[in-house]
Amino acid sequence: MGPSFKLCLPALFLSMAVSAQAEENVVNLYSWADYVAPQTLQRFEQETGIHVRYDTFDSSEVLETKLLTGGSGYDVVVPSSSVLARGLAAGALKAIPHEGLKGYANLDPDLLGKLAAVDPGNRYGVPYTWGTLGLGMNVEAVKKRLPNVPLNSLDLLFKPEYASKLKDCGVAIIDSPQEVIGLALHYLGKDPYSTDKSDLSAAEALLHQLQPNVLYVASGRQINDLANGSVCLALTYNGDASMAADQARKANKPYEVAYRIPKEGTLVWQDNLAIPKDAPHPEAARAFIEFMLRPESVAALTNTLFFATANQAATPLVDEAVRTDPDIYPLADVRERLYADRSMSLKDMRQRTRMWTTFRSRQ
């Protein structure tokens, strides 16, 4: 080995260190599309020098598979509470200690309490956004067919004498077996997570009755279809119905699209920030979560996607029309009738999936 080689060694190590450092200055985020406002990502990158690589998924199942398989290469993921629960059971998540986590005190205690049912002590999940499953509708079309029926009731769906009158203008159901079967059980006055055979038979009979009046069962289509008038009633998420309402308004449609939380109560879903156990950049992940705990970071998201934020300190920064909308930020008495997203065993989930396949196959 000649002297020239010795001289090169320090330079070689230096360049390796620099490239490793550059590689470390990144956080790999895996989330729903548009789930962080672009200006928030920009501010985070400018302030920290950490580059965000943002990949998206379009169903919880895709995220769950990556999380449980491991080796995904992601640093921050955004699971629902039930996916978080299954990730925890599989040992696929890294604890996020609250000590010194700036902004943690901004989180809504009620949502932390609901999450604690699946994440005791709130050690692994940081609440991010939340909302409800309910009724998106073309107000004029529904009122025309059912003049004196309350718009905030699941009777619109589950009473055949009502649903049959809406059949001609289009009824759409979200493609989510756990959530819809749970809601049917809740409507019948039963535990949404019941595994009792007679309870499930009753829910199956209710769905069977609804089936002839349903135009389609699908996810993602309801936003445009509500906005352009192709459907007049959709069982869907509050944010999707609110985006449809926004689109219809901007297109000067001659009807109002609205969202109603069912008076009977419904599912309150929650999305959370979490760190996979094998995250390659855990420090950058923590820095990103801290940044998202700032009120201004999440208020921008609520103003465009109409999902409520779990960050109480952000509420005053949300547009007044959004934060005072009781179907986005429900009042205390309504919140008491909402039940939390919970995990179920694979065996019980399979049973519900079979029931759902029968319901769907009649489309």
Side-chain angles (χ1 to χ4, degrees):
M1 289 194 189
S4 61
F5 181 74
K6 284 183 188 150
L7 283 171
C8 288
L9 272 178
L12 179 69
F13 284 130
L14 184 65
S15 77
M16 278 165 69
V18 167
S19 69
Q21 198 175 6
E23 182 53 39
E24 280 313 302
N25 248 6
V26 71
V27 64
N28 297 314
L29 170 66
Y30 195 42
S31 182
W32 297 97
D34 307 318
Y35 225 29
V36 185
Q39 63 268 40
T40 303
L41 289 178
Q42 256 175 334
R43 277 206 314 273
F44 173 75
E45 292 189 338
Q46 281 164 358
E47 194 177 302
T48 61
I50 298 169
H51 172 60
V52 182
R53 286 198 199 118
Y54 188 166
D55 286 351
T56 62
F57 52 81
D58 58 5
S59 83
S60 285
E61 289 75 18
V62 175
L63 166 63
E64 186 170 346
T65 304
K66 285 232 163 109
L67 193 58
L68 300 190
T69 310
S72 68
Y74 292 115
D75 300 302
V76 178
V77 292
V78 189
S80 66
S81 300
S82 51
V83 172
L84 183 87
R86 290 192 285 277
L88 268 178
L93 296 169
K94 198 180 197 62
I96 305 172
H98 310 162
E99 300 73 41
L101 193 65
K102 291 189 201 81
Y104 193 81
N106 293 335
L107 294 169
D108 183 331
D110 179 50
L111 296 174
L112 283 167
K114 280 189 163 69
L115 185 61
V118 298
D119 174 15
N122 298 116
R123 292 184 53 228
Y124 292 87
V126 174
Y128 183 52
T129 56
W130 64 285
T132 48
L133 178 67
L135 303 165
M137 69 191 73
N138 177 323
V139 176
E140 282 73 8
V142 174
K143 277 186 170 169
K144 185 178 151 191
R145 288 159 180 81
L146 299 167
N148 301 309
V149 179
L151 297 183
N152 65 338
S153 173
L154 290 168
D155 289 349
L156 289 175
L157 270 186
F158 292 133
K159 283 197 169 168
E161 62 268 34
Y162 295 159
S164 60
K165 295 221 170 83
L166 300 174
K167 183 178 178 174
D168 71 303
C169 60
V171 175
I173 305 289
I174 194 163
D175 188 6
S176 182
Q178 304 309 327
E179 296 181 349
V180 181
I181 293 166
L183 189 63
L185 285 161
H186 180 74
Y187 176 77
L188 294 167
K190 302 176 188 306
D191 171 9
Y193 299 100
S194 175
T195 54
D196 181 88
K197 278 201 171 69
S198 64
D199 288 356
L200 288 168
S201 296
E204 189 163 23
L206 190 67
L207 290 174
H208 183 71
Q209 222 177 304
L210 164 68
Q211 209 282 328
N213 301 311
V214 173
L215 179 64
Y216 66 77
V217 177
S219 295
R221 280 173 60 181
Q222 285 97 333
I223 300 175
N224 289 337
D225 287 354
L226 276 170
N228 65 28
S230 314
V231 299
C232 62
L233 183 70
L235 181 64
T236 189
Y237 302 122
N238 63 299
D240 289 1
S242 299
M243 279 188 267
D246 194 46
Q247 279 181 26
R249 251 193 323 271
K250 285 176 176 158
N252 294 315
K253 294 288 184 187
Y255 47 79
E256 179 199 356
V257 174
Y259 174 79
R260 294 288 178 267
I261 294 176
K263 64 181 170 61
E264 297 86 357
T266 185
L267 168 82
V268 56
W269 58 263
Q270 189 170 316
D271 281 341
N272 310 282
L273 302 174
I275 303 177
K277 190 164 196 172
D278 54 5
H281 315 109
E283 291 307 311
R286 194 176 162 90
F288 182 77
I289 288 172
E290 270 196 339
F291 196 86
M292 293 314 295
L293 282 167
R294 293 185 188 178
E296 64 277 13
S297 297
V298 281
L301 169 72
T302 301
N303 286 333
T304 51
L305 289 193
F306 309 106
F307 290 122
T309 165
N311 189 319
Q312 283 185 321
T315 311
L317 304 179
V318 172
D319 295 342
E320 191 181 359
V322 178
R323 71 169 187 265
T324 56
D325 184 335
D327 288 298
I328 298 176
Y329 282 91
L331 302 170
D333 61 326
V334 177
R335 280 184 83 159
E336 278 167 22
R337 293 197 292 277
L338 304 177
Y339 58 87
D341 183 17
R342 266 204 352 238
S343 182
M344 295 185 76
S345 75
L346 278 174
K347 177 174 144 283
D348 295 329
M349 279 171 70
R350 276 193 212 105
Q351 190 179 7
R352 291 188 174 205
T353 305
R354 278 196 296 273
M355 197 166 130
W356 189 248
T357 306
T358 309
F359 170 66
R360 284 208 58 185
S361 65
R362 297 201 181 95
Q363 288 301 301

